[in-house]
Amino acid sequence: MRKLSKKSRVTAAVAGVALVAVGGGAAYAYWTTTGSGNGTATNSAGGGTVTLHATFDAGLAPGNQVNVAYTADNATTSSTVVGALSANVTTNVATCLPAWFEVTATTTNTNVAAGALGTSVGSGVLKFNDSTTENQDACKSAIVTVNVTSL
């Protein structure tokens, strides 16, 4: 029998390893199975509470009206939707009657992003109705406040 050269021995060894690596002559077995599982997570508690603002020009007098802009700030980490708005008027003078004023609030569902400031959520009109039977001097220099809430 003749001796194999070094090159021939290396080639034979590589071929043998390759044969074993691809499964030549080796047997393997596996098991099959079935299974099931699930995962859970808690949803957000919602967008939370937004802070609403009403902004309008000063200087209202009996018989006049001004536009009102409604905005929202959302300090939470979730976006939220502001729907319908409700507004009313108060004054800082007891004899300057809120009943002399009318305020409207028109809005549609408006998305207020998380962390947003000053997002427009609606508009309206503030009217100072002129009374023909009552002296409205008590409202001179009075502070008129429009309170707004979302429904």
Side-chain angles (χ1 to χ4, degrees), residues 20-145:
V20 170
V22 294
Y28 63 95
Y30 62 92
W31 294 97
T32 61
T33 188
T34 60
S36 65
N38 61 42
T40 61
T42 303
N43 284 338
S44 164
T49 302
V50 296
T51 302
L52 297 171
H53 305 278
T55 307
F56 52 95
D57 290 336
L60 196 57
N64 291 339
Q65 67 184 34
V66 292
N67 292 325
V68 180
Y70 298 104
T71 59
D73 298 340
N74 183 1
T76 69
T77 58
S78 299
S79 66
T80 191
V81 173
V82 173
L85 298 176
S86 173
N88 65 45
V89 174
T90 59
T91 70
N92 70 329
V93 177
T95 53
C96 178
L97 304 178
W100 292 336
F101 298 86
E102 287 179 53
V103 64
T104 61
T106 304
T107 190
T108 57
N109 290 341
T110 303
N111 184 55
V112 181
L117 298 174
T119 300
S120 176
V121 293
S123 61
V125 173
L126 172 62
K127 296 178 185 178
F128 187 172
N129 296 318
D130 191 8
S131 175
T132 57
T133 59
E134 296 179 82
N135 182 337
Q136 295 174 307
D137 283 351
C139 291
K140 289 181 179 178
S141 299
I143 297 172
V144 176
T145 302

